[in-house]
Amino acid sequence: NAGVMQNPRHLVRRRGQEARLRCSPMKGHSHVYWYRQLPEEGLKFMVYLQKENIIDESGMPKERFSAEFPKEGPSILRIQQVVRGDSAAYFCASSTLGASSITDTQYFGPGTRLTVL
Amino acid sequence: GQQLNQSPQSMFIQEGEDVSMNCTSSSIFNTWLWYKQDPGEGPVLLIALYKAGELTSNGRLTAQFGITRKDSFLNISASIPSDVGIYFCAGRTTGANSKLTFGKGITLSVRP
């Protein structure tokens, strides 16, 4: 059973370009979470999605950032008009039970390291 | 917002030694988790704790969920070189939109 997959692993963008980060959850997992990690910091929650629905986007900046988890295909985190401050590692996690279950376990992917020049 | 405090930022130990890490919060969590992150990789779950006072082991790792629900510790016994990495604590409340809150992590170095 393959783990959570993220691609690309490294992404370089110039200021003003768009960044698209993809996440394929573990097989059978219908809950996806995105986190951002700045250097020497812990992970910060961004958004929680189920298939075709955004459940909680309270951690996501209101502008330039969007996320989707379509019925078919991977979850996408999209950052428009990137700025230097967007440089970070972006992690996706998936789970089977969802955030309302106390024993829900999130499995993390290897992350995408975004560098904005 | 909720914050988890982990200190010190770095720890240096000799191979074979035991090490203990603490995590404290100003607010209550219903679940405490400990993750390890290797360079260039995502966090890997080590231990999950679901009840106040719970003590759980996973091989050489032991973790406890504090009685007040505002703290947890992780103990690694007989450390080995592959224990090197960043150890994060994370807490969750309950509810439909509960989310993981992470500490800043402790970087562990093990001298052979």
Side-chain angles (χ1 to χ4, degrees), chain B residues 81-98:
Chain B
S82 62
D83 290 334
V84 164
I86 305 175
Y87 291 81
F88 291 99
C89 62
R92 277 184 65 196
T93 53
T94 50
N97 290 350
S98 73

Side-chain angles (χ1 to χ4, degrees), chain A residues 29-97:
Chain A
H29 288 196
S30 59
H31 303 264
V32 165
Y33 312 80
W34 284 93
Y35 294 83
R36 177 162 64 177
Q37 184 180 34
L38 295 170
E40 298 185 7
E41 295 281 328
L43 281 72
K44 293 279 196 302
F45 168 80
M46 297 181 74
V47 62
Y48 164 33
L49 310 106
Q50 255 187 294
K51 283 284 186 181
E52 299 184 276
N53 286 308
I54 295 174
I55 308 299
D56 181 358
E57 56 184 345
S58 59
M60 201 147 73
K62 297 269 187 289
E63 295 177 355
R64 302 187 298 108
F65 285 72
S66 62
E68 62 177 15
F69 188 16
K71 190 176 177 183
E72 302 289 339
S75 175
I76 306 282
L77 179 68
R78 184 176 170 215
I79 312 173
Q80 295 178 290
Q81 298 173 329
V82 296
V83 300
R84 288 223 174 100
D86 296 333
S87 296
Y90 292 83
F91 291 95
C92 156
S94 73
S95 71
T96 50
L97 301 175

Side-chain angles (χ1 to χ4, degrees), chain A residues 9 33 35 37 40-43 45 48 55-56 58 91 98-106 108-111 113, chain B residues 9 30-31 33 35 37-43 45 50 88 92-105:
Chain A
R9 294 291 303 270
Y33 312 80
Y35 294 83
Q37 184 180 34
E40 298 185 7
E41 295 281 328
L43 281 72
F45 168 80
Y48 164 33
I55 308 299
D56 181 358
S58 59
F91 291 95
S100 59
S101 169
I102 193 171
T103 57
D104 182 48
T105 299
Q106 295 181 23
F108 284 82
R113 271 102 190 133
Chain B
Q9 196 171 359
N30 298 111
T31 303
L33 306 120
Y35 286 86
Q37 185 178 29
D38 291 327
E41 298 296 328
L45 181 65
Y50 302 112
F88 291 99
R92 277 184 65 196
T93 53
T94 50
N97 290 350
S98 73
K99 51 183 77 74
L100 285 179
T101 300
F102 280 82
K104 289 191 176 183

